[in-house]
Amino acid sequence: MTSTVHFRVARTPAERADVLRLRDAVYVRDQGRLADAADTAATFDRFDPHADYVLAYAGDEAIGTVKVVPDSDAGLPCEDMVDLGPLRTAGNRLTEFGHLMTLPEVRGRKVGMALMREALVHSVSVHGATHVLGDFFADEETGGLRGFYLEIGFTAVQEPYRDTRFQGAPLSVVGVLDVRAAAARARTAAGADVPLLQYFFHDYAAYADRTAVQAKGHEVAHAPSGTR
């Protein structure tokens, strides 16, 4: 496995097939969360006509993906569980991350973290997102958001719940990130000492300019020390 991973948004039939192969490898064969990769057709996949899948590649091999769903008349996947009305105020634009997964053999190499950053950059630069939502598996000890998400700036939208769409899944919790507030915190003296904030937001001014980042993605190295 090479140390450099490149990213692109799935556009072609072959890239879409890579998404399904990853889902089968992770959710079906590795984790046993789904009986079949097509089991989400009536739930999560109903948003696919206007969603983007960001893929991570090592060479020609797809090793991870994350789904970015911009808000639309169809709403967002997490609205099956929470009311997003309070977030839909003038000037706010929402996206939701979902199905963040990496192959078992690359876990611990920060590919998932890099995918999440790519999803953030894509959300802001392409969709003008001001708030990002995610439906995350909860921390096993606290039942709330995992410390990693809290450190970035996510806050819980509701109490943890059991997601019956996945077999044997732990509790889940929906979190929201105020992107502009997190970017502002990264520029403070205290934020300068938070590696996760710097990783995600050190160049926020550049990717917040929609002309600064191409939707096709770009090559980056793995996340720096201090992230996962």
Side-chain angles (χ1 to χ4, degrees):
M1 192 68 64
T2 60
S3 60
T4 299
V5 175
H6 61 278
F7 302 88
R8 59 179 180 261
V9 176
R11 305 291 188 198
T12 68
E15 290 163 346
R16 289 283 178 168
D18 282 339
V19 172
L20 291 178
R21 276 194 290 271
L22 286 164
R23 188 183 297 177
D24 179 70
V26 176
Y27 282 164
V28 178
R29 291 186 281 124
D30 177 50
Q31 298 179 352
R33 305 291 189 200
L34 299 174
D36 186 271
D39 282 355
T40 57
T43 54
F44 302 109
D45 294 353
R46 73 182 189 271
F47 298 93
D48 278 8
H50 58 274
D52 299 320
Y53 284 90
V54 180
L55 283 155
Y57 287 88
D60 294 328
E61 181 186 10
I63 59 173
T65 186
V66 62
K67 183 176 184 175
V68 178
V69 184
D71 200 10
S72 71
D73 291 341
L76 292 172
C78 69
E79 286 188 275
D80 289 344
M81 306 300 169
V82 299
D83 175 17
L84 297 182
L87 287 174
R88 289 198 174 99
T89 60
N92 284 359
R93 294 186 180 183
L94 314 182
T95 63
E96 182 176 342
F97 296 171
H99 288 186
L100 173 62
M101 65 188 81
T102 59
L103 292 177
E105 56 266 32
V106 302
R107 288 175 198 154
R109 302 187 187 183
K110 306 183 177 77
V111 177
M113 182 69 63
L115 269 167
M116 195 167 175
R117 177 182 147 83
E118 288 296 308
L120 175 68
V121 172
H122 182 81
S123 291
V124 174
S125 63
V126 175
H127 299 297
T130 62
H131 293 75
V132 169
L133 291 122
D135 196 348
F136 307 113
F137 289 137
D139 184 276
E140 293 181 0
E141 294 184 3
T142 68
L145 287 169
R146 296 176 181 177
F148 151 67
Y149 297 113
L150 294 171
E151 190 170 336
I152 297 171
F154 279 92
T155 58
V157 177
Q158 40 64 281
E159 295 298 314
Y161 72 96
R162 186 75 61 185
D163 192 341
T164 58
R165 295 169 294 188
F166 289 104
Q167 300 174 16
L171 289 174
S172 294
V173 59
V174 175
V176 61
L177 173 69
D178 184 325
V179 175
R180 292 172 296 193
R185 188 157 56 94
R187 296 193 298 270
T188 65
D193 293 327
V194 182
L196 282 175
L197 274 180
Q198 293 307 310
Y199 177 57
F200 281 92
F201 296 106
H202 70 279
D203 56 345
Y204 173 76
Y207 67 75
D209 178 355
R210 293 187 181 211
T211 65
V213 179
Q214 297 299 314
K216 292 181 179 179
H218 55 283
E219 289 196 2
V220 299
H222 280 312
S225 175
T227 61
R228 60 176 183 160

